[in-house]
Every structure is written in C-alpha cells, then in structure tokens.
Amino acid sequence: MSLIINGMAVAAPADPRVSLLDHLRETLHLTGTKKGCNQGACGACTVLVDGERILSCLALAVQYDGRAITTIEGLANDDGLHPLQAAFIEHDGFQCGYCTPGQICSAIGMAAEAKRGVPSHVSADLVGDVALTREEVQERMSGNLCRCGAHNGIIDAIRHTLVEEVAA
C-alpha cells in the first residue's frame, strides 16, 4: 500500500489509525500542512486529493491508497511559486501565515468545484456556470478560518488568480 504525495510514492503508515495529517507532518516531515483544531473546524489542514480539497485531520492515511495527494509543498515547481502563492504575497493574504497553506489548497480545490459547476449556498443558479463573485468566494472559503485579519487579502488573492482561471 502506498500514497502518491506531491508526485512521489510513499509508504502508507503501518498503523491504520494514523490520520493523513499526522502521517504528512510526523512521518514524512511535510510540515507545511498545519494542525489547527484537529477536529475539522478550521481548515488549516486542507490538502488536495485527486484535485479535491479534504481536511487531512479527519482522514485516515490508509484511505488514500494510490491516490494523488498534493500538499502546499507540492504546488510550487521549478519555475517558482504557484500563481496563487505569489498572489497571497502580492495581496497581503497572510499575516501570521498559519492558515495560509490550507487557504491556498482549499482555494485551488474551490476553483475546480466552481469550474465543474458545483453550486454553493449563495449561488444564484443551481445549474450552469458559477460566477465567482466576492460573496461566492467568501462562502466557498468559509471553512478556512483566518484569525489574524488577512481575510480581505485572501479573498483578493483568490479572486485575482483563480477567477480568471475559472473563466478560461
């Protein structure tokens, strides 16, 4: 049994009770993914699995055998930062930075949901294109908490980077 993390095959934990978050941080030393509440309420531990956002603190690592897991460390490439990472810098989308990895992974997953036409609670239409208005992005990102006041910069960075991408 193995996991594909940031493009590399790694062994699953021997203990099937280990969360994906603990496996990433404690076994693989990928500490970009943060442990916030450890109860699925804050979003600091958000990673992407096959492009969909999940809360890694609520997931058992063994559930993801053979699936592609992307952490914040896996977003940048040889050319530099992922465009959303750069936008967080440009738009002051972080202060303490603790929530930033989860915010970025969640936003990438959120944009993919919108591109597929998945509505949110505030979507004007349940069928068809989803316009990522400020209100729509705020609703879709409401599961990722920022406690230090960078909310406006986070939303601006997401809209600047991903709204254009979804429209394409």
Side-chain angles (χ1 to χ4, degrees):
M1 179 177 280
S2 68
L3 310 171
I4 312 299
I5 299 179
N6 299 330
M8 299 183 64
V10 298
D15 185 345
R17 299 169 296 173
V18 173
S19 73
L20 179 56
L21 175 61
D22 287 341
H23 189 54
L24 291 170
R25 290 184 59 80
E26 296 173 18
T27 308
L28 303 174
H29 306 290
L30 293 171
T31 57
T33 305
K34 302 302 183 207
K35 184 180 277 194
C37 67
N38 208 30
Q39 298 177 0
C42 73
C45 67
T46 305
V47 297
L48 300 168
V49 176
D50 296 331
E52 293 187 18
R53 55 187 172 166
I54 68 156
L55 300 170
S56 62
C57 72
L58 298 180
L60 297 174
V62 295
Q63 290 176 273
Y64 298 96
D65 179 32
R67 299 198 45 205
I69 300 163
T70 305
T71 68
I72 192 71
E73 293 93 344
L75 293 178
N77 60 36
D78 292 339
D79 295 330
L81 296 175
H82 182 281
L84 187 55
Q85 291 172 312
F88 263 64
I89 295 167
E90 180 182 334
H91 292 276
D92 294 325
F94 59 91
Q95 285 181 25
C96 79
Y98 199 82
C99 72
T100 304
Q103 295 274 3
I104 291 172
C105 286
S106 186
I108 291 168
M110 178 270 307
E113 291 165 9
K115 194 169 191 170
R116 290 193 315 270
V118 177
S120 79
H121 177 70
V122 300
S123 296
D125 189 357
L126 298 181
V127 179
D129 292 337
V130 175
L132 287 178
T133 63
R134 186 170 196 81
E135 181 183 39
E136 186 76 35
V137 172
Q138 288 172 325
E139 170 64 23
R140 289 172 181 268
M141 293 298 295
S142 64
N144 290 81
L145 305 178
C146 173
R147 291 174 176 87
C148 52
H151 179 75
N152 287 326
I154 291 167
I155 300 302
D156 290 345
I158 292 167
R159 292 199 68 234
H160 174 83
T161 307
L162 299 180
V163 170
E164 296 164 7
E165 183 178 297
V166 170

